[in-house]
Amino acid sequence: MFSFGSRFMKRCRIAGQRMGTRNASFARNQSKFFRAGVAAGVVSVGAAVFGCASVARADSGPYMANAEQLMEEVARERHDRRLRQMKIFSGTANIPLSEEIAECLNTSLGKIMIKEFADGEIGIQVLENVRGKDVYLIQPTCPPNVNSALMELILLISTMRRASARTITAVLPYYGYARQDRKMISRVPISAADVARLIEAMGVDRVVAVDLHCGQIQGFFSPRTPCDNLDGSVVALPYFEKLGLKKKDTVVVSPDAGGVYRAKRFRDGLKAVGIDASLAMIVKQRERANQIAQMDLVGDVTNCDCIIVDDMIDTAGTLCKAGAELKKRGADRIFAFATHGLLNGPAIQRINNSDFEKVVMTNTIPLPPRKRIEKIETLSIAKLLAQTIYSVHFRQSISRLFDNPKILKPETPIVSAEQRTAKA
């Protein structure tokens, strides 16, 4: 700074020699003002440093607690402001699950009117402002009317986009048409990809699905529309942990070659809770859809507790034949777990007459009262979906939900008691 002043003085003297004494005197006066300004700046900087040191000494005293409280209050206010940006709406496919998710997030479902006209068309009207909000639509495209549920989801996305929502996230507990994910024969559609294109064309920003029939379905969405595939088996691990399985003689069975990776993840989850399970696989040969010609077992299940793990149960023909095959090979107790319980056709009767102790599934698809039998156990997946919505909304990692199972325990709140009080 002072070197700059010296250079300035030298230039003033040179200028004075060229332009005369009067001009040189003026330049010297200017340089005096400049040096005075520099000195004043140095003094002000010193005063600022001294003041900061005084403030630091003051904060180290009793005022530090007040400062920390103030920062906590600011953080809580920012959290509540961000939480108020969240709007959760539900289609008509699984309203009980949507209500449970909203309850976990300490909020209520958004007001919306969905009706069916006399000619079968669907009418939708959002009854509250969503401009600039982050909207989450919960709608499984599941039975009893898959096509209506899908059309309803498409119209919901379109409605929110036209209402100027900031972001739209489609939460699909069950992704319909997922089994048609490739061309096995000539002249057939790849319906899973077509459904993805329909949803994306409506302007959705993100898709959250649970246990897709094939993980590659995520690739049917473009990079501009991320698709998260949640592992629904994490909600079943606490149930099987308390079931009293044999610690050393438990086998996780995949009903086909395509489900080995899913069964392996489930086995790893059991090992994490203290059950040293092994792995087996059933190789099946189909005559046609939903009909099995022959089954072969790869692995040993003699005197073991067996758990058949699959993504869905449709007519339960494959599942019950697999259970009978395991019993014939000397298995002790046989259980089954599937994330999605479609239970179409004779599924209930087959399960009721099967060798299974329990068939465990989640509530991604609503189970009518007439299908609730003693052998079927339904677990709620609401906490997993609520925690996922919270993580997406607050830009947190979703994978942490599977790395730390304690997060999904019922006693662990998603929103803390202080945040609940502040929001109320």
Side-chain angles (χ1 to χ4, degrees):
M1 190 175 292
F2 289 105
S3 63
F4 178 78
S6 301
R7 290 197 302 271
F8 184 75
M9 285 286 293
K10 184 177 181 180
R11 290 181 181 180
C12 287
R13 283 195 296 270
I14 295 172
Q17 292 174 2
R18 291 182 179 178
M19 300 179 65
T21 308
R22 184 177 179 182
N23 290 340
S25 300
F26 175 77
R28 283 195 295 273
N29 291 336
Q30 289 292 94
S31 67
K32 289 179 182 178
F33 285 126
F34 176 77
R35 282 183 290 179
V38 170
V42 172
V43 172
S44 62
V45 170
V49 172
F50 178 78
C52 290
S54 301
V55 172
R57 285 194 298 270
D59 284 344
S60 63
Y63 298 101
M64 180 60 76
N66 294 335
E68 292 178 353
Q69 291 176 2
L70 178 62
M71 293 303 294
E72 290 179 2
E73 193 67 31
V74 170
R76 188 181 299 114
E77 178 60 31
R78 290 181 62 185
H79 177 275
D80 293 340
R81 193 185 309 119
R82 179 68 181 146
L83 203 60
R84 286 193 291 271
Q85 289 294 109
M86 179 193 296
K87 291 286 185 180
I88 300 177
F89 292 89
S90 172
T92 59
N94 197 344
I95 295 177
L97 175 60
S98 302
E99 291 175 342
E100 197 174 345
I101 293 171
E103 184 179 353
C104 291
L105 291 167
N106 192 35
T107 186
S108 56
L109 293 177
K111 297 178 182 178
I112 189 171
M113 181 180 67
I114 303 175
K115 62 181 180 181
E116 186 174 330
F117 296 106
D119 60 353
E121 295 179 359
I122 299 172
I124 296 176
Q125 183 183 7
V126 181
L127 303 178
E128 60 181 89
N129 180 32
V130 295
R131 184 180 298 274
K133 303 293 185 180
D134 296 312
V135 174
Y136 298 85
L137 304 173
I138 304 172
Q139 173 78 339
T141 52
C142 63
N145 199 329
V146 177
N147 296 328
S148 290
L150 177 60
M151 191 64 192
E152 193 176 298
L153 174 64
I154 290 172
L155 294 179
L156 280 170
I157 297 171
S158 175
T159 303
M160 297 302 173
R161 182 56 67 201
R162 295 175 189 273
S164 302
R166 180 173 173 267
T167 62
I168 303 172
T169 301
V171 181
L172 281 71
Y174 174 74
Y175 187 99
Y177 287 98
R179 285 177 283 183
Q180 302 179 42
D181 56 359
R182 60 191 182 278
K183 292 182 69 173
M184 298 294 293
I185 57 175
S186 302
R187 297 177 295 280
V188 295
I190 305 177
S191 304
D194 298 332
V195 169
R197 289 193 175 194
L198 281 172
I199 294 173
E200 192 172 4
M202 289 298 102
V204 73
D205 295 291
R206 192 181 197 95
V207 174
V208 176
V210 181
D211 262 335
L212 292 170
H213 184 67
C214 181
Q216 288 85 340
I217 291 176
Q218 296 173 88
F220 293 153
F221 295 91
S222 74
R224 292 175 296 178
T225 308
C227 178
D228 298 303
N229 184 23
L230 306 182
D231 181 9
S233 65
V234 294
V235 303
L237 293 176
Y239 175 85
F240 285 101
E241 181 185 5
K242 300 174 183 177
L243 206 57
L245 297 173
K246 298 177 180 178
K247 298 291 184 180
K248 299 293 183 180
D249 294 320
T250 296
V251 181
V252 177
V253 182
S254 172
D256 52 37
V260 171
Y261 177 68
R262 184 182 297 109
K264 183 178 179 298
R265 282 188 309 177
F266 193 85
R267 182 199 63 177
D268 294 341
L270 289 178
K271 286 187 175 182
V273 297
I275 301 173
D276 188 15
S278 57
L279 196 64
M281 179 184 69
I282 290 177
V283 180
K284 58 188 179 184
Q285 299 178 13
R286 290 183 182 272
E287 287 183 345
R288 51 182 177 272
N290 295 328
Q291 287 194 12
I292 307 298
Q294 182 180 345
M295 282 189 170
D296 297 313
L297 177 66
V298 178
D300 185 19
V301 297
T302 307
N303 297 324
C304 294
D305 289 339
C306 296
I307 306 172
I308 300 176
V309 178
D310 207 350
D311 63 320
M312 67 177 70
I313 301 174
D314 189 359
T315 60
T318 302
L319 183 73
C320 293
K321 283 190 176 182
E325 184 69 22
L326 293 176
K327 200 68 175 178
K328 188 170 66 175
R329 299 296 182 99
D332 187 4
R333 293 187 300 171
I334 305 172
F335 302 89
F337 169 74
T339 304
H340 312 295
L342 298 171
L343 303 181
N344 294 315
I348 296 297
Q349 182 181 357
R350 286 173 175 172
I351 292 174
N352 205 25
N353 299 329
S354 68
D355 296 311
F356 290 106
E357 301 281 332
K358 283 286 184 181
V359 174
V360 184
M361 59 188 67
T362 68
N363 60 343
T364 56
I365 298 172
L367 189 65
R370 60 184 177 83
K371 294 184 178 181
R372 295 174 185 170
I373 60 176
E374 187 178 354
K375 282 192 175 183
I376 293 179
E377 186 77 27
T378 305
L379 306 177
S380 176
I381 204 167
K383 184 68 181 290
L384 173 62
L385 290 174
Q387 190 70 67
T388 302
I389 291 173
Y390 184 90
S391 299
V392 170
H393 191 67
F394 285 92
R395 301 179 179 90
Q396 298 177 357
S397 171
I398 295 178
S399 60
R400 68 190 178 92
L401 305 180
F402 308 101
D403 298 334
N404 185 8
K406 293 182 179 179
I407 298 176
L408 299 176
K409 288 188 175 181
E411 60 270 16
T412 305
I414 298 176
V415 183
S416 65
E418 293 80 4
Q419 293 163 351
R420 291 173 184 264
T421 307
K423 188 179 179 187

